């Protein structure tokens, strides 16, 4: 009998897999995949995680994938495997994946296309708007000149195209703008000629085994899903998406995301040079962060409140950490401590 990824049942069992988990995800013991379980248990001990003296007490779920096997998952404070967690701006990173698929399918011609080309009806209503000249590449790299952290509503695109003040600069300056990224949803809808959710379901979610009831996607006032935030997923299913990125865009042997896009979306396009706890040299790709963790290249989808989907390709490792967002004053501390926890797992795998 063959199971996911072409493994035989015998090979699966020999790797520490449990037959009851075959339908959902190949499961293995940490030891069988080169991770010390005693040390891992100590790192993830609930008494340590839920200690109010640290920001780790906000952690609600954590999943570790190594070599395509789910080797650990933990849930805290009432969260469970079936809980749909708000992944916040990790939605942006998934929107980037959808852009890559649309490019491969020929739905979008080029990242050099402008908003005027990609949203012609909206642009025609405001032909003098500077936003018309912003390219899709600039939206993906947050260099379109949109102000920092401006939230938006795609109910009526004309005010966005016409009224959002831009601050263009040469060389380009990175400014984190949810307004800019929210334009990717209508761009995709126009490109595919239909619903973004239907496109995501057919091209990404269904091939990964993510069912219609395994996610929830917040909509704007017009009923359109958002590309900047609002997606809720099971922690395991976010791990599926992250592992697909770790495996060059493949899921169980099937190429779901173009391999070239997997490489391109995490290549450094904008140098930021941030630290994030033990992660250093944090830069920006196409709505994904990239950096160095224990001297290894790591890529990161990062949402508000330390929602992390961490991929370390050289270790065939994915760590998903989802949290409750703390108060604004604690955000930086929380992000550093949760990344520190993920870094300990990376060190065990190294």
């Amino acid at each position: 009998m063959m199971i996911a990824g072409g493994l035989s049942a015998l090979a699966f069992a020999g790797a520490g897999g449990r037959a009851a988990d075959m339908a959902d995800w190949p499961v293995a013991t940490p030891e069988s995949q080169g991770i010390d379980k005693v040390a891992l248990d100590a790192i993830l001990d609930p008494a340590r995680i839920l200690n109010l003296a640290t920001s780790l007490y906000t952690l609600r779920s954590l999943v570790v994938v190594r070599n395509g096997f789910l080797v650990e998952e933990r849930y805290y404070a009432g969260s469970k495997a079936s809980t749909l967690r708000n992944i916040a701006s990790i939605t942006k990173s998934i929107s980037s994946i959808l852009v890559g698929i649309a490019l491969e399918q020929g739905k979008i011609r080029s990242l050099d296309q402008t908003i005027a080309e990609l949203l012609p009806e909206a642009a025609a209503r405001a032909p003098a708007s500077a936003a018309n000249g912003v390219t899709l590449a600039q939206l993906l790299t947050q260099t379109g000149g949109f102000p920092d952290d401006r939230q938006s509503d795609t109910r009526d695109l004309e005010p966005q195209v016409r009224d959002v003040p831009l601050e263009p600069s040469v060389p380009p300056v990175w400014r984190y703008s949810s307004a800019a990224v929210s334009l990717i949803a209508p761009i995709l809808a126009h490109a595919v000629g239909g619903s973004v959710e239907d496109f995501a379901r057919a091209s990404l979610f269904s091939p990964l085994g993510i069912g219609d009831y395994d996610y929830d996607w917040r909509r704007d006032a017009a009923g359109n899903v958002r590309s900047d935030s609002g997606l809720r997923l099971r922690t395991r299913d976010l791990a599926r998406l992250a592992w697909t990125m770790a495996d060059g865009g493949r899921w169980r042997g099937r190429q779901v995301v173009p391999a070239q896009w997997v490489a391109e979306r995490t290549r450094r396009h904008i140098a930021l040079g941030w630290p994030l706890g033990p992660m250093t040299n944090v830069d920006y790709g196409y709505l994904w962060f990239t950096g160095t963790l224990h001297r290894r290249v790591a890529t990161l989808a990062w949402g508000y409140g330390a929602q992390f989907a961490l991929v370390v390709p050289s270790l065939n490792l994915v760590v998903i950490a989802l949290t409750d967002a703390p108060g604004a004053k604690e955000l930086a501390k929380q992000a550093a401590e949760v990344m520190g926890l993920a870094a300990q797992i990376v060190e065990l795998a190294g």
Side-chain angles (χ1 to χ4, degrees), residues 52-120:
L52 296 180
T54 77
S55 292
L56 294 178
Y57 77 89
T58 61
L59 186 66
R60 294 296 172 262
S61 59
L62 185 138
V63 164
V64 181
V65 177
R66 184 84 191 274
N67 301 321
F69 290 95
L70 189 147
V71 298
E72 187 61 85
E73 62 181 335
R74 297 292 179 98
Y75 299 91
Y76 303 96
S79 188
K80 52 189 178 181
S82 60
T83 301
L84 295 178
R85 301 293 310 175
N86 178 13
I87 64 171
S89 284
I90 292 178
T91 307
K92 291 178 172 70
S93 302
I94 294 172
S95 296
S96 170
I97 294 172
L98 293 175
V99 169
I101 294 172
L103 276 166
E104 175 74 8
Q105 293 180 359
K107 309 288 188 184
I108 295 172
R109 178 173 51 81
S110 167
L111 295 185
D112 293 328
Q113 289 184 273
T114 63
I115 289 176
E117 296 174 84
L118 295 164
L119 295 172

Side-chain angles (χ1 to χ4, degrees), residues 264-340:
E264 194 65 19
R265 51 100 206 173
T266 53
R267 183 173 67 82
R268 185 183 76 178
H269 293 281
I270 298 295
L272 302 176
W274 293 350
L276 174 55
M279 191 172 181
T280 58
N281 302 315
V282 175
D283 297 317
Y284 207 63
Y286 287 151
L287 301 179
W288 284 74
F289 294 87
T290 184
T292 304
L293 194 56
H294 293 310
R295 300 179 299 281
R296 296 179 183 274
V297 172
T299 62
L300 178 69
W302 181 0
Y304 183 89
Q307 319 307 327
F308 290 150
L310 177 70
V311 179
V312 186
S314 65
L315 292 175
N316 290 325
L317 182 73
V318 163
V319 180
I320 307 296
L322 299 178
T323 70
D324 284 346
K329 292 182 179 179
E330 198 178 343
L331 282 172
K333 180 174 180 283
Q334 181 205 38
E337 291 187 3
V338 175
M339 180 54 67

Side-chain angles (χ1 to χ4, degrees), residues 230-245:
L231 187 58
R232 295 195 305 145
L233 287 168
R234 299 186 309 166
T235 310
R236 278 188 173 196
D237 290 333
L238 181 55
R240 292 172 190 259
L241 288 156
W243 175 252
T244 299
M245 297 300 99

Side-chain angles (χ1 to χ4, degrees), residues 7 11-19 21 25-38 40-41 64-74 316-317 348-349:
L7 289 172
F12 181 75
R18 297 192 292 270
D21 298 297
W25 189 292
V27 175
T29 63
E31 296 95 335
S32 71
Q33 302 306 309
I35 297 176
D36 184 329
K37 178 169 173 54
V38 173
L40 186 60
D41 285 342
V64 181
V65 177
R66 184 84 191 274
N67 301 321
F69 290 95
L70 189 147
V71 298
E72 187 61 85
E73 62 181 335
R74 297 292 179 98
N316 290 325
L317 182 73
L348 285 181

